[in-house]
Amino acid sequence: MSSQPQIASHTEAIDLLDHYLASGNAAMLAPYIRAMSDDNAVAVFAIMQGSGNEMAPFVRLLGLLGVRGLIDATEALDYIRRDRNRAS
């Protein structure tokens, strides 16, 4: 059994995103990003970082959730907007 956190449903994804927005603690996202990243995702993140276009952890997580069909693009954009409003 894996000790890394798993997100298996839309409800779990929304709960995690809401918890992040409430706390603002991006470090809490790292275990989820690691657990959800396959070799392709790791390569994409490395290319983005190497090109000077590194994605914030929250954006990485949104992308991973979207690829797995746990959130849709409209929800991802709404969370990006809410994160920006929270940070300002």
Side-chain angles (χ1 to χ4, degrees):
M1 183 158 101
S2 173
S3 63
Q4 292 196 6
Q6 299 294 316
I7 302 170
S9 71
H10 180 261
T11 301
E12 291 173 350
I14 296 301
D15 288 347
L16 176 62
L17 296 172
D18 288 342
H19 181 70
Y20 163 75
L21 287 179
S23 72
N25 180 6
M28 67 165 282
L29 304 176
Y32 296 95
I33 293 168
R34 278 192 302 274
M36 296 178 71
S37 294
D38 59 14
D39 291 341
N40 290 332
V42 170
V44 167
F45 296 150
I47 290 167
M48 296 293 289
Q49 182 179 15
S51 68
N53 296 305
E54 185 171 11
M55 291 184 277
F58 187 60
V59 176
R60 287 184 186 192
L61 181 63
L62 290 171
L64 292 166
L65 292 170
V67 165
R68 284 160 183 75
L70 297 171
I71 63 170
D72 63 31
T74 301
E75 290 170 315
L77 292 172
D78 181 55
Y79 274 98
I80 289 170
R81 179 190 52 76
R82 290 171 57 190
D83 186 44
R84 287 185 180 158
N85 289 340
R86 178 197 57 78
S88 61

